[in-house]
Amino acid sequence: MNGVQEWLKRLFLQDRRAVAKLISLVEDNIERHQIMRAVLPRTGNTLVTGITGPPGAGKSSLVEALTKLVREQGESVGIVAVDPTSPLTGGAILGDRIRMQSHATDRNVFIRSMGTRGHLGGMAKATADVIRIMEAGGYTTLLLETVGVGQSEIEIMHLADTVIVTLNPGTGDGIQAIKAGIMEIADIFVINKADLPGSERLKNDIEMMLGMTGQDKAWRPPVVLTSVYENRGVDQLQAEIKRHHAFLRSSGRWKIKWQEQLQREVWRHLNGQIQEQFNSLWPKLLSDAAIAEGTDPGQIAEQVWSVMMEEMKKKND
Amino acid sequence: MSQTRIRVLVGKPGLDGHDRGAKVIARALRDAGMEVIYSGLHQTPEQIVEAAIQEDVDLIGLSIMSGAHLTIFPRVKELLKQQQAEDILLIGGGIIPEEDAESLIRDGYAEALFTPGTPTTEIVDWINDRMKLNRSKYF
């Protein structure tokens, strides 16, 4: 389609409207392949910082505070903020912008809100693509904010190079800190709202947990106390982000992460294709009575698999 | 498979702090399956238009209770024009006298205005109808 080419041309001239339009197209799955084929060669050099944590922990406020610092240093910032889509109606209220007001008219800050649109794990399906479009559009610092998560939404670890887990004082004891899930994926822990009582205690709990595991000897996640309200600790957080970025690059960990991310993305696409093929095949198999009642689903799957392989062979011939 | 969603920016420009109406509308549009970006209070027209562009919304809904509608609607429209983003529809609601509403619509500063007492379903239907005609939003 001609329109896509025009938007791509404008994207590479760092036109904000083109960034916005191409994100919509990819999100709506229109001409996605064509767009990403053009975009990806111009990306991959910028490390992505992801921020996750429970609802109300102060993720958006931290993003805004970090953005302020980064802007003072002259870099531009692309932000993806994800909020949940209603599983019942498909609608969503995307409210992260409310906390990011101070950059609302700064042309070097691009904020995009996304609904999860049925995707689980605390992220939207098109998140990886959207981040790369921002990078190709010239934004040099990339921040990714998840929906407010519970204990097990850990998909951000596959999309962000540096994962910040944001917690608040007074929200749990030492047992919460050693539970599985998001506590395992942090590269940096932030205890936000550290102006409230109990933050040192939480820090101790996390440090104790880190002392117990020690699975990664090369990088021990630092625990940073911040208070956006009192404008405290955000510069230290930024320093730790930079230190982790440098660690990823110097240790070669970045490459490994990149390969893992690639594997996941390829599988995600393959999975989609298989699912599509399966969905179109299934009604036919049922109506042909090729499947006897009472057959084990695992056995049916083997049957279906061989039918799918045959179909594929036919297509290729 | 494509999965387009109608995206709407609900904006609260100016100085009044009454956002209950805006929240009710935002909720109703959400329940109608739309993605609603809520701007928060006290937005300038510049902030609203910049957000609308970055979020690539189909439509801006302004909620105004302060009496500044005759200034704000033309200003937002003008900024959209400057940004070559006139394809973004502009509607609104709030305390707007009938004669003002008529003149804003007549002069092309708003596509539709919904004043207190309007059932939310009427607004949802209006948006859905207009979006059916607007399917070419990308090109």
Side-chain angles (χ1 to χ4, degrees):
Chain A
M1 231 180 282
N2 220 359
V4 172
Q5 288 304 333
E6 188 58 36
W7 286 124
L8 283 168
K9 215 183 291 168
R10 285 172 63 178
L11 174 73
F12 300 139
L13 298 170
Q14 311 201 342
D15 175 338
R16 291 156 25 262
R17 197 92 211 277
V19 177
K21 281 287 174 202
L22 289 166
I23 288 174
S24 297
L25 284 164
V26 161
E27 209 184 3
D28 290 348
N29 201 11
I30 298 169
E31 304 290 329
R32 184 206 161 267
H33 291 312
Q34 187 191 348
I35 293 167
M36 294 317 291
R37 252 199 297 271
V39 164
L40 285 176
R42 297 171 189 250
T43 65
N45 292 315
T46 310
L47 294 175
V48 179
T49 302
I51 298 178
T52 190
K59 296 181 292 298
S60 301
S61 303
L62 270 177
V63 166
E64 161 154 300
L66 278 171
T67 301
K68 189 160 170 256
L69 273 185
V70 173
R71 286 296 296 132
E72 283 166 9
Q73 293 152 10
E75 300 248 336
S76 60
V77 186
I79 300 165
V80 179
V82 187
D83 265 331
T85 294
S86 160
L88 304 177
T89 66
I93 303 267
L94 310 175
D96 291 319
R97 281 193 98 87
I98 300 173
R99 322 266 171 241
M100 303 178 192
Q101 292 300 350
S102 42
H103 314 290
T105 53
D106 181 347
R107 296 255 167 115
N108 291 306
V109 178
F110 191 104
I111 306 168
R112 183 60 176 244
S113 316
M114 297 179 76
T116 51
R117 297 194 184 182
H119 193 75
L120 299 174
M123 295 272 83
K125 191 173 145 204
T127 311
D129 293 341
V130 170
I131 285 266
R132 292 308 159 200
I133 290 172
M134 284 185 181
E135 188 183 0
Y139 295 93
T140 50
T141 296
L142 300 172
L143 300 176
L144 173 55
E145 180 190 333
T146 70
V147 306
V149 301
Q151 294 175 316
S152 62
E153 292 94 333
I154 56 164
E155 197 185 334
I156 191 165
M157 68 183 282
H158 305 304
L159 292 173
D161 299 291
T162 298
V163 175
I164 300 171
V165 171
T166 309
L167 302 165
N168 300 135
T171 53
D173 57 11
I175 292 299
Q176 296 299 337
I178 59 172
K179 282 189 181 171
I182 65 165
M183 297 302 285
E184 295 174 279
I185 63 165
D187 298 306
I188 299 169
F189 282 100
V190 167
I191 299 171
N192 190 36
K193 305 187 190 177
D195 46 288
L196 299 175
S199 41
E200 282 299 335
R201 165 113 197 244
L202 177 58
K203 183 175 157 79
N204 288 342
D205 286 341
I206 296 170
E207 296 280 9
M208 199 170 79
M209 176 271 287
L210 292 171
M212 282 189 259
T213 48
Q215 63 275 90
D216 187 346
K217 296 221 165 56
W219 178 263
R220 181 188 165 108
V223 184
V224 183
L225 297 179
T226 61
S227 165
V228 175
Y229 178 64
E230 290 179 351
N231 190 23
R232 184 150 62 82
V234 182
D235 46 352
Q236 198 200 334
L237 173 59
Q238 197 204 14
E240 293 292 1
I241 293 170
K242 284 188 172 163
R243 192 165 72 85
H244 189 252
H245 282 1
F247 163 74
L248 287 175
R249 288 187 199 274
S250 66
S251 66
R253 199 64 67 91
W254 185 29
K255 280 247 164 67
I256 300 168
K257 265 199 127 152
W258 181 82
Q259 283 169 350
E260 287 169 359
Q261 288 172 4
L262 184 68
Q263 185 186 348
R264 293 213 149 238
E265 279 292 292
V266 172
W267 169 242
R268 199 167 65 76
H269 286 286
L270 201 55
N271 199 9
Q273 282 172 23
I274 293 172
Q275 186 150 25
E276 225 168 273
Q277 207 193 349
F278 171 71
N279 287 345
S280 68
L281 216 59
W282 182 247
K284 192 173 166 295
L285 289 174
L286 270 186
S287 67
D288 288 358
I291 294 156
E293 240 175 272
T295 319
D296 166 40
Q299 198 187 330
I300 301 172
E302 277 173 28
Q303 256 173 279
V304 173
W305 182 249
S306 52
V307 175
M308 278 169 63
M309 295 310 277
E310 269 168 46
E311 296 264 316
M312 219 131 53
K313 243 188 230 158
K314 263 188 246 163
K315 230 195 254 169
N316 289 339
D317 284 343
Chain B
M1 221 185 299
S2 88
Q3 37 175 305
T4 52
R5 297 285 155 101
I6 295 171
R7 284 170 70 88
V8 182
L9 178 74
V10 172
K12 272 296 294 177
L15 296 176
D16 80 87
H18 305 285
D19 68 346
R20 198 182 165 102
K23 283 177 180 158
V24 168
I25 299 297
R27 173 69 200 266
L29 300 184
R30 187 203 87 177
D31 288 343
M34 301 177 197
E35 288 186 343
V36 184
I37 293 107
Y38 180 48
S39 73
L41 292 170
H42 311 312
Q43 300 292 295
T44 63
E46 284 79 4
Q47 287 174 317
I48 287 170
V49 169
E50 186 59 33
I53 286 175
Q54 293 183 7
E55 299 288 357
D56 191 34
V57 295
D58 303 285
L59 172 109
I60 300 174
L62 296 180
S63 163
I64 305 179
M65 311 284 186
S66 63
H69 46 270
L70 289 178
T71 317
I72 290 170
F73 277 98
R75 178 71 184 142
V76 170
K77 194 78 190 176
E78 181 193 319
L79 289 167
L80 285 172
K81 211 176 272 179
Q82 276 176 22
Q83 300 286 329
Q84 297 173 334
E86 292 157 277
D87 52 312
I88 299 173
L89 296 181
L90 185 57
I91 67 171
I95 310 295
I96 301 172
E98 209 170 298
E99 66 224 62
D100 289 357
E102 277 168 18
S103 83
L104 283 170
I105 289 173
R106 189 184 54 236
D107 297 340
Y109 294 127
E111 293 276 331
L113 295 168
F114 302 97
T115 45
T118 311
T120 53
T121 48
E122 190 182 319
I123 302 171
V124 168
D125 290 344
W126 187 92
I127 295 175
N128 278 328
D129 283 348
R130 277 306 295 263
M131 286 305 128
K132 265 181 220 146
L133 304 174
N134 241 42
R135 268 295 150 235
S136 60
K137 74 176 221 182
Y138 295 115
F139 307 111

